[in-house]
Amino acid sequence: MSLALPPAGANSLPEEHVRSAPGSPILPGGATLGVLGGGQLGRMFVHAAQELGYHTVVLDPDPTSPAGQIAHHHVQCDYLDAQGLADLAQRCHAVTTEFENVPARALATLAARLPVAPGADAVAVCQDRVREKAHFTGCGVPCAPHALIADEAQLQAIDPALLPGILKTASMGYDGKGQATVHSVEALAAAWNELKRVPCVLEKRLELAFEVSVIVARNAQGELVHFPLQQNLHRGGILAVTTVPAPDVTPELQAQAVRAAETIAASMGYVGVLCVEFFVLADGTLVANEMAPRPHNSGHYTLDACDVSQFDLQVRAMTGLPLPAPRLHSSAIMLNLLGDLWFRDGSTDAATPPWERVLTLPGTHLHLYGKLSARPGRKMGHLNITGASATQVREVALRCCELLGLAAF
């Protein structure tokens, strides 16, 4: 799908409005914003940008990508395609990314032509678990004890104190992919072989109480705002439930997590929306797990429970618009909707879940991503439940789980 847009190079903005760096004069409505990646995060970014009057361009190789379906223009090509990147740069005034595995090299190529937020260097840190953990440590933010395994010698030299642990590929892992739990040196060697002996990080398995995340937004002037701490439940390595306000979090823990996330963002010179995930250990210690240089699943509740969403802040940070401190006006729970819901009771034929029953419940907000087919494990949408009290929201959310066949929490 392609909506009306001036041809490449035919930009309608006066030259004095085109910025030389993210956050220099405000980029007004009518300008064109590009996004690398056409998934659901790109789709929600495009919605937010269009609400503020921006033209949008998506670069993604999938002809039916969720964001490409609704953008003004879809550049269909690989992320490192030179002609496609040149086309995107010609059409846009600024560019962002919707997922961390877009090659940092593509962002660097674009940055030679126009503002890119977040920058290639920051994204490259988030793409590499070794660099990411070194960055946490350099910021004074604790993370799990860990070691790099990139060759046989490093495998043989692993400290047994790191076992049991979780072996993770140093790059390209997400939603539990590229990971294996190991309990012995022998299992570690076998898991590394299963992962094709690519560079990996072995993390000591810690005794967790629960998991949280914090989303911050930072502009080029160094202004930082943040959403409340989100408490998250994962199943099979994929986020299943987010609850806000976080029910088990003290004000002190929230302040500590926000300070850590803001320090991490500022130390990278970050521009855009950044999510930092943390483990809360059984003794109450906060430990950084990983970060994502983009809006995050755990922030989807902001679409319905806050006065500005994480996608609004993504647009504002890259265009120089005011960056307001978000206000949580409703308690909220987000339920992640995977393709498994379309195949209930062992059926091999996809059947639409009973949305009409779910949507009769108070405070339910259904967001489907426009994906043309469902399959198990595929993120098809999310359901936000909002209300005046945490108790009310939880009751409705559990009823939604019952109707959809989701496990209670």
Side-chain angles (χ1 to χ4, degrees):
M1 178 177 180
S2 182
L3 305 179
L5 183 73
N11 210 304
S12 59
L13 286 181
E15 186 64 30
E16 61 267 22
H17 289 299
V18 179
R19 303 176 303 157
S20 59
S24 47
I26 291 174
L27 194 57
T32 301
L33 306 183
V35 57
L36 288 169
Q40 61 267 17
L41 298 176
R43 182 183 179 95
M44 288 179 271
F45 166 81
V46 166
H47 280 311
Q50 290 177 348
E51 284 180 0
L52 287 171
Y54 293 101
H55 292 290
T56 53
V57 180
V58 168
L59 188 149
D60 188 281
D62 181 359
T64 62
S65 69
Q69 294 172 28
I70 65 165
H72 293 86
H73 188 78
H74 180 189
V75 179
Q76 186 190 336
C77 68
D78 181 80
Y79 298 117
L80 289 173
D81 182 90
Q83 183 175 343
L85 290 173
D87 186 10
L88 183 71
Q90 268 195 308
R91 291 180 181 274
C92 296
H93 293 92
V95 170
T96 188
T97 179
E98 69 119 25
F99 75 113
E100 63 266 42
N101 287 331
V102 165
R105 196 150 48 94
L107 298 175
T109 297
L110 290 167
R113 301 273 302 273
L114 77 168
V116 175
D121 290 345
V123 172
V125 171
C126 300
Q127 289 177 340
D128 187 318
R129 293 188 193 278
V130 179
R131 294 184 62 184
E132 181 179 64
K133 292 187 181 301
H135 188 78
F136 291 156
T137 301
C139 290
V141 177
C143 57
H146 62 279
L148 170 66
I149 300 176
D151 56 38
E152 187 68 28
Q154 289 174 326
L155 175 67
Q156 297 302 322
I158 282 295
D159 184 349
L162 290 176
L163 298 170
I166 303 173
L167 185 68
K168 301 179 179 180
T169 56
S171 62
M172 300 302 289
Y174 63 96
D175 288 343
K177 297 178 175 65
Q179 299 186 16
T181 300
V182 292
H183 291 86
S184 66
V185 172
E186 294 76 18
L188 173 61
W192 191 44
N193 283 328
E194 284 290 318
L195 294 173
K196 311 301 183 187
R197 300 172 74 90
V198 299
C200 288
V201 172
L202 175 66
E203 296 178 12
K204 182 177 177 63
R205 195 166 183 183
L206 303 174
E207 187 179 351
L208 307 185
F210 53 92
E211 299 177 50
V212 297
S213 60
V214 61
I215 292 171
V216 300
R218 184 179 184 273
N219 63 20
Q221 287 73 42
E223 297 170 328
L224 277 156
V225 297
H226 64 86
F227 290 98
L229 205 60
Q230 300 125 197
Q231 189 162 327
N232 302 319
L233 170 66
H234 289 78
R235 295 186 178 124
I238 300 176
L239 180 65
V241 182
T242 293
T243 303
V244 181
D248 300 316
V249 169
T250 63
E252 294 76 19
L253 188 66
Q254 164 139 324
Q256 183 183 351
V258 169
R259 281 197 306 270
E262 291 183 341
T263 298
I264 289 166
S267 65
M268 291 191 291
Y270 195 88
V271 176
V273 169
L274 177 74
C275 178
V276 184
E277 297 180 83
F278 297 92
F279 297 138
V280 180
L281 306 188
D283 64 1
T285 302
L286 190 73
V287 174
N289 175 30
E290 60 187 24
M291 56 183 170
R294 52 166 173 79
H296 192 260
N297 257 24
S298 65
H300 287 344
Y301 75 93
T302 64
L303 288 163
D304 299 300
C306 298
D307 53 1
V308 291
S309 75
Q310 60 175 343
F311 302 99
D312 295 327
L313 293 188
Q314 186 181 19
V315 174
R316 287 168 177 258
M318 70 184 292
T319 59
L321 288 172
L323 204 60
R327 181 177 62 91
L328 181 73
H329 55 67
S330 303
S331 295
I333 288 176
M334 187 280 299
L335 303 177
N336 207 9
L337 305 176
L338 303 182
D340 308 65
L341 299 182
W342 277 252
F343 301 93
R344 290 180 61 179
D345 304 320
S347 173
T348 57
D349 296 322
T352 301
W355 305 131
E356 69 286 353
R357 299 181 66 189
V358 168
L359 294 175
T360 62
L361 299 173
T364 53
H365 311 267
L366 180 63
H367 299 262
L368 296 177
Y369 301 150
K371 296 182 179 180
L372 300 185
S373 61
R375 60 175 181 265
R378 190 180 198 192
K379 294 176 183 175
M380 299 298 295
H382 67 270
L383 180 69
N384 288 337
I385 301 98
T386 60
S389 72
T391 299
Q392 176 195 13
V393 168
R394 181 176 173 82
E395 288 174 355
V396 174
L398 289 173
R399 176 58 179 154
C400 291
C401 288
E402 184 181 348
L403 291 172
L404 294 172
L406 290 168
F409 56 93

